[in-house]
Amino acid sequence: MQVASIVGARPQFVKLAPVHAELSKMATHLIIHTGQHYDSVMSADFFQDLNIPSPIVNLGVGSGSHAEQTGRIMERLEPELLKMRPDWVVVYGDTNSTIAAALTAVKLDLRVAHVEAGLRSRNRRMPEEHNRVLTDHASDLCLAPTSNAMENLRSEGLGSQSRLVGDVMVDVLRQTASKLQIPQDYADRKISASYLATIHRQENTDNRDRLSAILTALNSLDKKVNLLAHPRLWARMGDFSLLAERFKNIAFTKPLPYLNLIESLAFAPGLVTDSGGLQKEAFLLGVPCVTLRTETEWIETVNLGWNTLAEPEPAIITAFLSSRDRPPPVESPYGVGDSARQIAHALLDHS
Ligand code: UD1
């Protein structure tokens, strides 16, 4: 069996790592990088950190509008897939690389499997929501991380081609936490003085008032904030003349490679974010999280008391992060860390 994984953006490299480890035991697994993310802190460092082999090709599409980026990926990917004609094309998550690769593959009559299928925010203003809905409906095999995601797929008529496999991010997080010897119990960790924060979503960064309100809120929290600044955040702060020096409570630093990120998160007193993956990683590590969005695809983290959706209001953020009144994180709705193995077997079963 020959399988081609198409990836391009930071969270996809994390998901690819355990899938590659399992797939390479039973198939020829080739990796194509679209080049959506190209800075080494956003791309190459992840391959190195997570032991992922170099892609056989990098399409070098870089940045652009949604249509430019998606269109360029499709044009450049088509000849590669034509040469290769793999038994499966695997796509991950909800980025422009995901939808572009899925569309290119199905139009060449290649079978597509979608890792992290079935997530929904119901917010049609998010580019990722269109990417994930369209990718699921184009795919031959939808690999769902949670029973909520399975339910979404069923309700859209995709039940027969969907499988509940758990979340690959649990696989990679467990391996990493054990490698870093992070004490499982939060009480046994020496907690740092600063909250961790990340902000990168278009809806938070691309409107000056919203971005200013978020930075002002982080600047007024009860503890210092270590803000890992995505390139989009830097760019918009520059565009809107929101000078970093004005926010004395915030230490603006570069995005971290995966291992350092997990270590910083595990020892943080709390997380403020708009990232999808980090909400879940915080939950799995037992770190409270405030999500600066109006909805989340990872609703289990909220229902189990470890995450809350909030406006950028310092009092609300501080109250949630400093509360000790939350249930122990016993139930894992995301599987037991064998998701990549299940995905590899699902591909084999259907080949
Ligand atoms: C993309 C995904 C988002 C995911 C995120 C993870 C889409 C629609 N969005 O958002 O779902 O959560 O990746 O990080 O696909 N840039 C750099 N260097 C890089 C990459 C990007 O400077 O290596 C700059 C670009 O010039 C652009 C901005 O960052 O201005 C946004 O990059 P883009 O890939 O379009 O989207 P992300 O915000 O990273």
Side-chain angles (χ1 to χ4, degrees):
M1 178 170 72
Q2 195 182 55
V3 180
S5 278
I6 320 297
V7 290
R10 186 172 56 172
Q12 291 164 337
F13 311 140
V14 178
K15 292 162 199 159
L16 171 66
V19 174
H20 171 74
E22 288 299 329
L23 268 180
S24 56
K25 292 180 195 162
M26 58 179 80
T28 306
H29 183 222
L30 304 170
I31 298 165
I32 297 182
H33 193 317
T34 65
Q36 176 171 350
H37 284 175
Y38 43 86
D39 288 350
S40 57
V41 286
M42 302 288 286
S43 175
D45 292 356
F46 282 77
F47 279 76
Q48 206 179 355
D49 242 26
L50 294 165
N51 285 323
I52 311 169
S54 296
I56 54 158
V57 59
N58 187 319
L59 305 177
V61 299
S63 305
S65 71
H66 290 290
E68 283 166 346
Q69 206 172 43
T70 309
R72 279 206 291 266
I73 296 171
M74 292 184 71
E75 271 180 12
R76 295 183 195 181
L77 181 60
E78 185 175 55
E80 301 298 332
L81 290 180
L82 273 173
K83 271 189 261 168
M84 215 184 274
R85 287 226 148 256
D87 299 297
W88 279 106
V89 172
V90 183
V91 299
Y92 300 77
D94 57 15
T95 73
N96 290 340
S97 294
T98 315
I99 179 65
L103 270 181
T104 309
V106 287
K107 291 195 177 209
L108 294 175
D109 203 20
L110 296 171
R111 284 182 309 164
V112 174
H114 183 203
V115 173
E116 210 180 72
L119 297 188
R120 298 290 180 263
S121 68
R122 319 275 173 215
N123 177 353
R124 287 179 54 80
R125 294 187 59 218
M126 279 178 77
E128 292 84 0
E129 182 72 358
H130 301 291
N131 290 343
R132 55 172 89 100
V133 171
L134 295 170
T135 300
D136 284 340
H137 284 259
S139 293
D140 299 275
L141 185 57
C142 292
L143 299 159
T146 62
S147 33
N148 278 331
M150 262 317 265
E151 208 35 63
N152 291 334
L153 291 163
R154 276 193 208 104
S155 72
E156 293 174 27
L158 298 175
S160 63
Q161 69 242 50
S162 301
R163 282 244 199 141
L164 177 60
V165 291
D167 192 326
V168 285
M169 289 183 74
V170 177
D171 302 24
V172 68
L173 183 69
R174 284 202 174 180
Q175 288 156 20
T176 304
S178 114
K179 192 149 116 191
L180 295 171
Q181 300 185 326
I182 294 170
Q184 230 173 353
D185 198 336
Y186 191 73
D188 296 336
R189 296 181 209 154
K190 194 172 175 327
I191 299 306
S192 66
S194 303
Y195 293 129
L196 197 68
T198 75
I199 297 296
H200 77 278
R201 284 199 188 271
Q202 194 175 298
E203 58 268 32
N204 279 333
T205 55
D206 289 15
N207 174 297
R208 190 189 191 282
D209 291 344
R210 175 80 183 171
L211 182 54
S212 172
I214 290 173
L215 293 173
T216 304
L218 294 179
N219 201 42
S220 317
L221 297 188
D222 60 326
K223 292 182 175 32
K224 294 238 177 258
V225 175
N226 181 14
L227 177 56
L228 308 175
H230 183 285
R232 177 196 283 282
L233 175 67
W234 274 131
R236 295 303 170 269
M237 283 176 65
D239 296 344
F240 301 145
S241 305
L242 293 166
L243 302 179
E245 306 81 80
R246 264 180 46 201
F247 303 99
K248 303 266 184 250
N249 194 46
I250 306 176
F252 292 86
T253 55
K254 278 190 175 172
L256 290 171
Y258 183 72
L259 298 189
N260 303 60
L261 172 72
I262 295 305
E263 194 161 34
S264 301
L265 178 59
F267 293 95
L271 170 73
V272 184
T273 192
D274 61 4
S275 151
L278 273 167
Q279 292 172 49
K280 221 171 16 179
E281 284 157 344
F283 168 78
L284 294 166
L285 288 165
V287 177
C289 171
V290 172
T291 299
L292 297 179
R293 285 179 53 196
T294 45
E295 66 286 307
T296 178
E297 302 76 18
W298 304 109
I299 191 66
E300 305 81 9
T301 59
V302 174
N303 293 342
L304 292 168
W306 286 82
N307 185 9
T308 190
L309 301 170
E311 287 300 311
E313 296 282 348
I316 294 174
I317 298 173
T318 300
F320 187 81
L321 295 183
S322 51
S323 162
R324 293 283 153 258
D325 183 25
R326 53 178 64 85
V330 280
E331 189 188 337
S332 176
Y334 301 112
V336 295
D338 67 348
S339 170
R341 195 169 53 77
Q342 293 204 47
I343 288 171
H345 283 287
L347 296 181
L348 204 57
D349 290 352
H350 289 78
S351 63

